[in-house]
Amino acid sequence: MNKKRIWILLVALAVTLGLITGGVLAWLTDTKTTPEKTFTVGDVTYIWTEGVITSDNVVPGQNVITTAFNLTNTSNVESELRLLIHITYLEGAIPTDASDLVDYTLASGWVLETDGYYYYRPSVEVDGKYPIAPDTNVDVLSGLSLDGSLVGNSFSGKVFTISIIFEAKQANYVTWAQLGTINFETGLL
């Protein structure tokens, strides 16, 4: 009977070890699945409304804009806005910088910073940012004229080209530096 008791003890021990091991493994491998959650990414978009420019021959000092240029924030999130202005004319076939020859007037709220960008800062600063709410109209350019002290008869017939480059970003969580820039022609940052 000793053998029988040893076998019963061994079987009981094996069953006990099996239950303990199974319980520990079940405890270590227990998984839970969280319910599905969805979120929508914000969209930053603006609509450009061209103003009206006098297309006739102009004279120095004459404001050629009769209706201001405007942007409308159609984003679904608050955003920030900045712009660069480039003004050139053709000297032969070579584009020549004309930024000193033209006086332009930006609408109120635009501030020139040391990086050469104009930033739209119409309201009170919030955590170092100036958020523009969705469905907000932003006047941009309201005046443009040639500087009469620098533009004389030698500019007769010249065509001036004004390029305005706008950049918008969502107002929270990123900075302009984090967004970065790239030149698509050269591929250089």
Side-chain angles (χ1 to χ4, degrees), residues 146-166:
L146 296 172
D147 184 343
S149 66
L150 299 173
V151 177
N153 284 338
S154 62
F155 285 89
S156 179
K158 299 279 186 199
V159 175
F160 287 77
T161 303
I162 294 101
S163 299
I164 304 175
I165 301 164
F166 295 96

Side-chain angles (χ1 to χ4, degrees), residues 28-188:
L28 292 175
T29 60
D30 189 22
T31 60
K32 296 276 185 189
T33 303
T34 61
E36 184 176 294
K37 298 291 181 188
T38 59
F39 60 91
T40 303
V41 177
D43 185 25
V44 177
T45 56
Y46 278 81
I47 294 176
W48 174 246
T49 304
E50 287 191 25
V52 177
I53 293 182
T54 302
S55 59
D56 299 334
N57 291 328
V58 297
V59 294
Q62 175 187 0
N63 182 10
V64 298
I65 297 178
T66 57
T67 304
F69 290 76
N70 182 281
L71 284 169
T72 303
N73 183 1
T74 57
S75 308
N76 60 5
V77 294
E78 289 182 335
S79 57
E80 288 186 290
L81 189 60
R82 70 181 184 177
L83 65 85
L84 278 173
I85 297 178
H86 297 288
I87 304 170
T88 59
Y89 70 94
L90 290 179
E91 188 64 52
I94 301 169
T96 304
D97 180 33
S99 55
D100 292 340
L101 304 176
V102 176
D103 294 323
Y104 53 86
T105 305
L106 296 176
S108 65
W110 291 98
V111 177
L112 179 62
E113 292 291 338
T114 56
D115 60 1
Y117 283 92
Y118 287 93
Y119 290 83
Y120 190 59
R121 304 228 167 112
S123 60
V124 178
E125 178 181 352
V126 178
D127 295 327
K129 300 177 186 304
Y130 294 84
I132 303 167
D135 299 320
T136 300
N137 287 323
V138 177
D139 285 334
V140 179
L141 188 62
S142 59
L144 187 66
S145 62
L146 296 172
D147 184 343
S149 66
L150 299 173
V151 177
N153 284 338
S154 62
F155 285 89
S156 179
K158 299 279 186 199
V159 175
F160 287 77
T161 303
I162 294 101
S163 299
I164 304 175
I165 301 164
F166 295 96
E167 296 178 359
K169 71 171 189 66
Q170 55 100 2
N172 298 311
Y173 311 113
V174 294
T175 65
W176 293 106
Q178 287 170 329
L179 294 176
T181 59
I182 187 168
N183 182 326
F184 288 101
E185 291 179 10
T186 63
L188 300 176

